[in-house]
Amino acid sequence: QAKDAGRGVARYFSSELQSEQEDRVRLETDLRQAITAQQFHLVFQPLVSAKSQKLIGFEALIRWNHPQRGFIPPNVFIPVAEENGLMPQLGNWIIDEACRALATWPEAVTVAVNISPKQILVPALPNVVSEALARHKIPGNRLELEVTEGVFLGDSGKTVDVLGRLRALGVGIALDDFGTGYSSIGYLNKAIFHKLKIDGSFVRDCGSRPENVAIIKSIVQLAKSFRMSVTAEGVETAEDFERMRELGCDTIQGYLFGKPLSYERANQMVVGLGAKRMAG
Ligand code: C2E
Ligand code: MG
Ligand code: MG
Ligand code: MG
């Protein structure tokens, strides 16, 4: 009987795996056409100063509107793009598109762009970034790139070199989702990162989990000792915000201050910021 049950489980898994695989193949084919078919767009999530609660910039996040399947989350298609060698092309498009938006906004506004681990080792990445900056006439310090701890799982020496070349363009480098992945504390003293982003999972459970408060405290301390700034992600409530501000986070990102917005809506926020400035 146990044997039968075992076989049933195996069959279940194999058909599930098969359809999963078919799914990925279809996704891959569709991804190849999606750029030229203009199915991608960027959305922009506000980043605000913890002190003033004013807008300081945005994180650009990619969206894919699939003609048949509708919205497919980046966590699903980015890994497929990476595995199929599509990331250089898609990644370059993202950088250019983010710079295009940035060029229309005032000097004080920054935009952060996510760079996936495989993208970092595309040999021409620093050139791609400097060309995009030049094309849109943007100084490097208005652009920020976000990488995760996963970048150090590959050729870490090469990664450190690429990040250094990007920093030399004036571009900021943030370590995203800090604390959730492969620990790279050893890389923090290489003056590569200008910012740590605390993963939302630590932020959201802070009220009920005192150990998360301890983790955030030590991340903030670590960042300060390397003169890096700290962003808290996933801030959803006024309580989260107050706690993160008190713990010493410099920048806040999360649904409390805004979900990822279309370019048009982000632009309205920027225009509002300009008006407030002129009045003040
Ligand atoms: P990430 O870079 O850590 O981005 C933050 C994610 O958290 C975004 O999800 C954002 O919408 C979500 N988020 C922000 N505030 C809150 C909040 O208060 N509550 C909750 N529950 N979620 C919040 P999204 O857009 O689905 O992106 C997921 C991940 O996909 C990103 O994580 C990033 O790793 C990747 N990704 C997104 N866009 C790009 C891109 O253009 N290029 C690359 N390479 N990766 C991207
Ligand atoms: Mg990010
Ligand atoms: Mg993150
Ligand atoms: Mg993430």
Side-chain angles (χ1 to χ4, degrees):
Q1 217 178 8
K3 212 172 154 192
D4 281 356
R7 221 177 289 143
V9 168
R11 218 177 5 251
Y12 170 75
F13 276 132
S14 100
S15 67
E16 175 128 295
L17 271 178
Q18 198 183 343
S19 75
E20 226 171 74
Q21 203 166 356
E22 282 167 6
D23 234 41
R24 279 179 90 85
V25 170
R26 204 175 324 132
L27 216 56
E28 185 200 326
T29 318
D30 294 350
L31 266 174
R32 288 185 193 281
Q33 305 159 358
I35 296 182
T36 41
Q38 299 189 307
Q39 290 166 9
F40 293 113
H41 67 278
L42 297 185
V43 287
F44 300 88
Q45 186 175 29
L47 282 144
V48 306
S49 154
K51 271 202 190 106
S52 66
Q53 298 191 43
K54 279 186 180 160
L55 179 77
I56 54 177
F58 298 95
E59 177 175 1
L61 297 156
I62 193 167
R63 295 291 179 260
W64 182 16
N65 227 324
H66 190 284
Q68 282 87 41
R69 296 166 66 180
F71 173 72
I72 301 175
N75 280 334
V76 172
F77 70 81
I78 295 276
V80 180
E82 278 209 311
E83 275 161 41
N84 294 287
L86 301 171
M87 215 46 221
Q89 200 198 353
L90 182 56
N92 295 356
W93 179 85
I94 294 167
I95 291 165
D96 190 72
E97 196 66 10
C99 288
R100 184 194 310 282
L102 197 43
T104 66
W105 291 334
E107 287 248 332
V109 175
T110 59
V111 168
V113 173
N114 293 283
I115 301 290
S116 71
K118 288 226 172 92
Q119 207 183 339
I120 204 85
L121 291 180
V122 168
L125 185 66
N127 290 342
V128 167
V129 171
S130 75
E131 279 163 21
L133 291 170
R135 191 158 46 244
H136 297 285
K137 302 186 176 66
I138 298 160
N141 63 8
R142 293 187 60 202
L143 182 69
E144 199 169 286
L145 302 178
E146 298 190 359
V147 300
T148 59
E149 295 161 291
V151 291
F152 295 113
L153 289 173
D155 183 341
S156 58
K158 210 169 155 198
T159 297
V160 168
D161 179 60
V162 171
L163 294 176
R165 285 165 62 197
L166 290 165
R167 283 304 294 271
L169 299 172
V171 171
I173 309 284
L175 188 49
D176 204 356
D177 302 347
F178 188 72
T180 60
Y182 166 81
S183 169
S184 50
I185 287 175
Y187 291 101
L188 293 184
N189 65 19
K190 303 224 175 189
I192 298 167
F193 299 106
H194 84 298
K195 179 191 272 187
L196 293 185
K197 293 188 80 170
I198 302 174
D199 194 67
S201 58
F202 297 115
V203 175
R204 282 190 292 273
D205 297 334
C206 248
S208 56
R209 299 185 62 180
E211 65 269 32
N212 281 8
V213 175
I215 290 170
I216 291 173
K217 259 188 198 158
S218 57
I219 294 176
V220 170
Q221 206 167 29
L222 192 64
K224 299 288 140 134
S225 68
F226 289 112
R227 297 176 193 283
M228 293 184 282
S229 79
V230 183
T231 299
E233 291 184 323
V235 170
E236 294 184 351
T237 65
E239 212 184 342
D240 290 343
F241 169 72
E242 219 22 69
R243 209 177 276 121
M244 292 308 117
R245 198 184 55 75
E246 275 168 16
L247 286 170
C249 296
D250 306 292
T251 317
I252 305 292
Q253 180 179 0
Y255 294 169
L256 178 66
F257 289 100
K259 290 199 168 176
L261 308 169
S262 68
Y263 170 80
E264 289 74 20
R265 294 209 42 213
N267 197 41
Q268 282 168 5
M269 268 190 93
V270 169
V271 170
L273 175 90
K276 235 184 264 162
R277 282 222 174 130
M278 276 190 277

